[in-house]
Structure formats: structure tokens, C-alpha cells
Amino acid sequence: MTARLAPSMSAAIALTTSAALLPALAVLGELRPTWVALAAYAALCAAVGGRSRPSAAPLIGPAAWLFHNGFVEHRHGALDLTAPAVEAAHVLLLGAAALTAALLTAPRGRRPGRRYDLAA
């Protein structure tokens, strides 16, 4: 069984990998608000979420959104919330990608160190 990342470590990794994704998007010419950039950040959230606990999803999604909004959509690190419903949908999409991956890769069955009442 592999250890899952703590929520704080998951958020730190999400921030770091989100920043590392920017040069790759720049090489591809995708530093603009397209579905490719959003899909890349959703895949990043799923990758980090797959190694994290489900409770880390509310931290992973917004961490990736910060870089998507600030550097892909509005350039130069300026966050913009002129369309709050769209931005909320982006945050929910990125968080859902992380949560789905975390739930799909969660260990199943008994957890070591727990006692179960077999008579019940």
C-alpha cells in the first residue's frame, strides 16, 4: 500500500506543478483561454489528486486555477473575476478532477490497524 499525500503537501505540489506547466503551454502556443489549457490543468489536477487524499481536492483545484486564471487567461499574473460564474465553473471542474482521481485510486477494504467486529 502506498501512502497518500497530506492535503498541505498536495496543495504545495499542485502549486509547483501548475507553475511548471506554464512553460510547456507557452511552447505549444496555448497561453490563451482555450480548452487545451483548461484540459491540461484538469489533467494536472487529476494526476496530483490520484496521489492525494480526497480531502485535498478543495486545495488542489483552486491552486491550479490561480495559475490558469492569472497566467493563461489574463497574462502577467493578474487575476480577473469579471465573469464569476465562469471562474466558479473552472474551479469546480479542476476540483472535481482532483476529487474523482482521489476517489478512484483510494485504497479499498480494510485499513491496517483497525479492529472490526466480526460477530456483527
Side-chain angles (χ1 to χ4, degrees):
M1 184 171 102
T2 60
R4 313 283 281 179
L5 294 173
S8 59
M9 182 57 75
S10 298
I13 290 174
L15 284 169
T16 305
T17 54
S18 293
L21 183 59
L22 287 172
L25 289 174
V27 167
L28 295 174
E30 293 296 331
L31 281 182
R32 56 181 194 252
T34 61
W35 66 270
V36 175
L38 187 61
Y41 275 100
L44 179 138
C45 287
V48 175
R51 299 289 303 154
S52 303
R53 298 176 187 160
S55 61
L59 300 174
I60 296 170
W65 173 83
L66 287 171
F67 282 90
H68 182 264
N69 186 298
F71 293 100
V72 174
E73 287 186 12
H74 303 292
R75 296 295 199 82
H76 308 297
L79 295 177
D80 188 14
L81 297 173
T82 55
V86 173
E87 298 307 328
H90 288 169
V91 172
L92 288 175
L93 172 79
L94 296 173
L99 181 62
T100 302
L103 291 175
L104 289 176
T105 59
R108 297 193 177 20
R110 291 187 185 183
R111 287 197 242 165
R114 287 207 143 176
R115 295 183 187 191
Y116 293 92
D117 185 13
L118 299 177

